[in-house]
Amino acid sequence: MTRLSGVSPAELRPGEDAIERFERELGAVQATFARSTPETLARRIVEALREVGARHVGLTADLGGGRRALVEALRAADIEAVHYEAAAPSRDALRAMDATVTGCVAAVAATGSIITGERAGRAGALIAPTHLCVVERERLLDGLSQALRVIAGSGSSMLALQSGPSRTADIEKTLIMGMHGPKAAHVVLLDGRLDEA
Amino acid sequence: MMSEPIVCFPTCLVDLVGRRLADDVNTVLGAVGFSPIVASGATCCGQPAFNAGHHAQARRVARRTLRRLGDTEGPIVVPSGSCTAMMRRHWVELFHGDRDEILAAAVAKRVREFSEVVDERRRRLSAFEPRLNAVAGYHDSCHMLRELGIIDQPRRLLGYVDGLEVRPLASGERCCGFGGAFSLRYPEVSVAMADDKLADVRESGVDLLVSSDPGCLMQLGSRADRRGDPLRVLHVASVLAEAGVGR
Amino acid sequence: MSRSDDPLVGTGFRDRSRAQLGQPFLRQAIPRATDHTIAALHDRFADVDVAALRERGRRIRAETIRDLDAHLETLVAAFERNGITVHRAADAEAARGRIRSICSAAGARRVVKVKSMATEEIRLNPALAADGLEVVETDLGEYVVHLDDDRPSHIIAPIIHKTRQEVRQSLSRVAGRELPDDTAELTGFARGQLRDAFLSADVGISGANFGVAESGTVVLLTNEGNGRMCTSLPRVHIALMGIERVLPTLDDLAVMLPLLAGSGTGQLLTSYVSMISGPRREGEPDGPEEMHVVLLDNGRRALLGGPFEEALHCIRCGACQNVCPVYRQVGGHAYGWVYGGPIGAVLTPLFRGFDDGGELPQASTLCGACDDICPVKIPLHDLLLKLRRVGGGRAATRRERAAATFWAFLWSSGVGYRASIAVGRLGLTLARVLPARLRRGPVLARWAAGRGLPGRGGRP
């Protein structure tokens, strides 16, 4: 339990279950939550991308050893899949992406957040209307203070916490999703590791 | 029952526009077993000038009141939340480094807000079988609420009045817009704030608005008056007196 | 900007507030928006010890500001280690100059901006426009403010004062056609426009919610994601950071993030929190080639060690505006400068000087609601009183001071007091029987303009 437990709402309460809280908080920030095993991961992702009608999908390097299998699965499903870092130099390629799939450095159960690092690209998680993030179970941390401690040692040039889709309520307080970043944010909690997928 | 002498400082606003309120305060204090002695020669706590940033002038006026009160003993009852806060919380600051610093600290400790004092003897209210048919809302004086934390006492006192339904106000803790000199410096904003409060009062179905601060009462009562709003606006002491306490 | 188009010069709070009070939408919109935020805040913090969290926040801010120079030194060293170029700007002009020369060296034509109060404070946009740069604000609200050549009226919600119809008109002008009267459509149109801007801009300019000294990190909070777009896609990123926004450690950030997001919008965290520790490195897929931080003093350092040091603890969450009963009536524009509400009434005279901002501390009823909600427990009520004291000693209020002195002369004597009370009672009695036009005298007239006379029936 972190030192801010019971004091900060961004920490787990004593005895609280991390996965349950993660799911609840993702719901609260209008993100979707699903669980998967390495075996079913590719199928789950294809299903989710089909549902939103994604045709051009960027996959980021932080998917590591799992990326190759995902690219193959997407292509098999007739979805164009590209490596984000290969597409990123071209503004047109960035514009064309209608979904991105990333891994993450860590996730924060208490706030329903995922944290991406530079391997996901600074803009990788928010350039497209749909973002799907794969969270390996061991990367799910309890609360914000623990997460910041863990990533403090990472030496990353950029880390981004994101909690749900992009939103604005600037016009008469009406909540609209997808202002600049994704309209839809999906999180898949992976019971296992990406390189097993 | 022997009645116990108690010093009462009615405040300048009550002297100016609330002589009946002064009577109500005395009546209720008498009813719970005190014999109030009006502090002779005390004028004003200095708050108007203090809040405007004129400390020297505030000190000059407050010094007179401080010394007159310093000549007395025992608790000092003040029927005004903001004056109580001024004396209890800010006199020490106002007289910091002054020849009357020690006196200010000693007198500050003796200052009590009206409902605090009556609340300690609230059981004696029952003997009068107080009764007043009205739907009331209680408006917290900002300084009484935030600087003194006196929240429950006035509400408890109202609870002793039969026939009085007390409804919570959505804006109960929001300022009425008086703010002393603010009400004259920016009358339009001040009135707009009172209007919001009165709108909330109307929506709550309240016909009697109660407070513990003559400033708030004057602001809200005068605005209701101008609008032709039939709302009555009364000090806790006046509610108790009207309900028959001390009769 | 010239002083002639500065609303703080030549007008008073009373005039400005009267103009705002005449706008019925504003008076509905502000309570609606702010009540929503306050309710969400209470809801999200319901089952934690929020008092303890605020106390930690206060302590972090107090300890940091008390030793600001040491923390800044650490921060600058860490920024430089991370490949960030650091610039120091003593005032608005210096900051504008730095940013202009970075843009010019980068050969920039188009600049995208993240909403930043600091850039508002230094009036950056007109300076960049004068250099021939195209400046695009990318926060939706700020974008509309910029299109309308208006000013933000709330720290967090810049167009709280505008109706959807007004926004529609502004965006329709850009579109060259009538856009539909639908929030989602309007937002979608702006998204398209701004997406083009992100992808074609040469420079991205942001503020900094915090700078973390331990790691050399600029922290930016947004809900729209424009913070990340502006700092990821253009070749150059410039962050303008008030020197007081430093936090020593990431542990401190863990305390401050939920305090800021909660107090600002009622969220646990904003949708996006970017932690930027330098430009793109070798082998990274995207990000700016250059990153600059401009550290802005502009009156801040002068407050260190003085009676108003606590004003530097502010993290610009806007919560004090949300609860302020005066702000709720008149909105941010009535305060005349960048910062409105209680913190605006404190910062404006401190940053701009008493000649321009000295009146603002009077624009408060001293109700103290701001003290109760401030996430870092700034004693705003005390600061306002202290500022009034400083202001009260100045020539601008000579007449008022003379009146106070006369009052003190009367009320410090029993005879004077009794006589003036008697005159006052007589005056009120007369005023009640005299026709309205005879009720002159500045005090009575100002009271009686919207209120009946007090004291009828012997009760206030």
Side-chain angles (χ1 to χ4, degrees), chain C residues 33 65 82 112 135 201 213 229 237 256 323 330 446:
Chain C
I65 297 300
N82 286 337
V112 281
V135 182
M229 293 287 215
H237 170 208
M256 301 312 299
V323 296
V330 300
R446 281 187 171 213

Side-chain angles (χ1 to χ4, degrees), chain C residues 253-290:
Chain C
L253 186 64
V255 174
M256 301 312 299
L257 281 178
L259 280 176
L260 176 53
S263 307
T265 59
Q267 295 168 289
L268 282 185
L269 290 175
T270 52
S271 298
Y272 296 96
V273 179
S274 292
M275 300 173 56
I276 311 164
S277 310
R280 174 187 191 176
R281 294 183 197 152
E282 193 66 36
E284 293 181 3
D286 56 12
E289 291 154 22
E290 278 175 44

Side-chain angles (χ1 to χ4, degrees), chain B residues 124-132 160-162 243-247:
Chain B
R124 301 192 189 191
L125 296 174
S126 313
F128 299 95
E129 296 178 3
R131 177 157 198 98
L132 185 67
Y160 276 81
V161 180
D162 274 346
V245 170
R247 194 158 46 203

Side-chain angles (χ1 to χ4, degrees), chain C residues 37 57 61 65 68 115-122 142 152-158 207-211 219-223 240-247 256-267 270 296-301 303 308-322 327 337-352 370 373-378 380 383:
Chain C
T37 304
R61 293 302 291 149
I65 297 300
L68 183 63
K115 178 168 85 75
S116 143
M117 296 310 285
T119 63
E120 289 287 333
E121 187 186 315
I122 66 165
E142 203 70 32
S153 66
H154 186 282
I155 291 177
I156 303 294
N209 292 103
F210 301 110
V219 182
L220 278 181
L221 280 72
T222 73
N223 274 313
L240 177 68
M241 174 181 158
I243 52 170
E244 84 285 13
R245 307 306 282 274
V246 60
L247 286 180
M256 301 312 299
L257 281 178
L259 280 176
L260 176 53
S263 307
T265 59
Q267 295 168 289
T270 52
L296 177 69
D297 181 346
N298 207 28
R300 288 162 171 80
R301 191 173 292 280
L303 303 181
F308 302 109
E309 185 179 278
E310 283 157 313
L312 296 176
H313 297 179
C314 176
I315 56 173
R316 308 283 190 269
C317 69
C320 62
Q321 302 184 324
N322 294 341
Y327 176 89
W337 195 44
V338 187
Y339 304 107
I343 191 65
V346 169
L347 289 178
T348 306
L350 293 177
F351 285 180
R352 286 285 304 261
C370 46
I373 199 138
C374 175
V376 293
K377 296 167 74 173
I378 298 172
L380 287 154
L383 292 178

Side-chain angles (χ1 to χ4, degrees), chain A residues 135-184:
Chain A
V135 179
E136 294 167 313
R137 174 64 188 90
E138 63 183 19
R139 294 183 188 269
L140 179 63
L141 305 175
D142 288 352
L144 183 65
S145 57
Q146 188 192 9
L148 290 177
R149 265 296 116 211
V150 165
I151 63 180
S154 72
S156 281
S157 65
M158 212 280 309
L159 289 158
L161 282 96
Q162 42 232 315
S163 315
S166 157
R167 69 195 64 209
T168 181
D170 273 348
I171 303 177
E172 292 192 4
K173 217 62 192 165
T174 308
L175 183 65
I176 301 286
M177 295 299 171
M179 181 57 226
H180 295 301
K183 285 182 172 59

